[in-house]
Amino acid sequence: MIDKICDVKRSIEAKAYLAALSLALTFPDICGKLAYPNVQKVRERYIKWFDDYVSQFYSPNEKEYPQFTGEMCYKLRCAFLHAGNAEGIPIDQFELCIDGCSCFGSTWSDENDKKHYIRINVVELCAGICGAAEQFYTLNSNQLDFSDTHITIINICKETEKIEKLNSCQ
C-alpha cells in the first residue's frame, strides 16, 4: 500500500496528474474492502470509506457547503476508470484543475438543460486520498492484510543479474 501511495506522490511531482489520479482513485476501493468486509456492494464501501476518512479534508466544518463527498468521488472513479455511469449521482461534468480552487455548482441554458459540474483540484484530491490511505494503513497494518496477492512487480534486469552471478560461480 505504501508503494502505491509513494507512486501517486511521485506522479504528482512529475506532473503526471492523470496517472496519479487513476491510482489514487483505487485507494477507497482497497481500504473500503478492508474497513468494511461485511458490506458487499463496492459502491457502498467506497462511498463510506471516502466519507469516513477523506471528506474531512474538504470540509472541516460539517455544516460548511459545498463538500466533496464519497458519492462525488465514486462518480469520478466510475467516469475516469471505467467510462461508466454511477446511477443516481447527478453529476454531468468533472473538471480537473491544477493550481486552482475546487468548486461545485450547476449551469443551465434553459430549465430543461440543467448540468451539474464539479471542478476539483486534482493535486489536492490526490493528496487528500493519499493522506487518508496512509493514515488508515498506519492505524490498521497490524490487524489487516494490505498485501497484493494478485500483483507482483519483478525487475527483470536485477533478476537476470542474479542468475548470471549464480551461473558464474559454477
Side-chain angles (χ1 to χ4, degrees):
M1 186 72 188
I2 295 299
D3 289 342
K4 292 177 183 177
I5 293 167
C6 290
D7 279 355
V8 171
K9 292 176 181 179
R10 283 190 291 267
S11 295
I12 292 291
E13 289 172 10
K15 299 184 182 340
Y17 303 113
L18 297 178
L21 181 63
S22 64
L23 186 54
L25 287 174
T26 67
F27 296 167
D29 274 323
I30 296 165
C31 296
K33 185 173 184 178
L34 295 170
Y36 315 110
N38 296 325
V39 177
Q40 295 302 310
K41 293 185 178 183
V42 172
R43 174 186 172 136
E44 290 176 21
R45 286 193 310 247
Y46 191 101
I47 291 170
K48 181 165 179 42
W49 189 85
F50 189 94
D51 286 343
D52 288 348
Y53 292 92
V54 182
S55 65
Q56 64 192 351
F57 295 108
Y58 291 95
S59 183
N61 176 356
E62 289 181 21
K63 295 180 180 179
E64 187 178 319
Y65 184 79
Q67 179 179 5
F68 189 70
T69 67
E71 275 195 31
M72 293 172 177
C73 193
Y74 183 77
K75 174 80 176 201
L76 175 59
R77 166 208 181 262
C78 291
F80 190 76
L81 297 178
H82 305 298
N85 184 0
E87 294 296 323
I89 303 174
I91 301 165
D92 301 302
Q93 179 70 37
F94 285 97
E95 297 172 348
L96 304 174
C97 63
I98 303 157
D99 299 327
C101 64
S102 301
C103 64
F104 318 93
S106 300
T107 60
W108 57 92
S109 54
D110 63 52
E111 63 183 60
N112 296 325
D113 189 32
K114 189 173 184 178
K115 303 278 186 198
H116 301 279
Y117 74 93
I118 293 177
R119 179 178 295 147
I120 190 90
N121 184 312
V122 67
V123 175
E124 290 175 3
L125 177 60
C126 289
I129 294 173
C130 282
E134 194 167 7
Q135 183 178 23
F136 181 79
Y137 176 83
T138 301
L139 294 173
N140 296 288
S141 61
N142 293 333
Q143 304 101 300
L144 300 174
D145 183 8
F146 284 84
S147 61
D148 281 328
T149 57
H150 302 290
I151 299 172
T152 304
I153 297 176
I154 299 171
N155 184 327
I156 298 300
C157 291
K158 286 187 178 182
E159 293 299 316
T160 303
E161 288 174 9
K162 287 180 191 176
I163 293 169
E164 288 173 354
K165 283 182 184 178
L166 288 173
N167 287 337
S168 68
C169 293
Q170 295 177 355

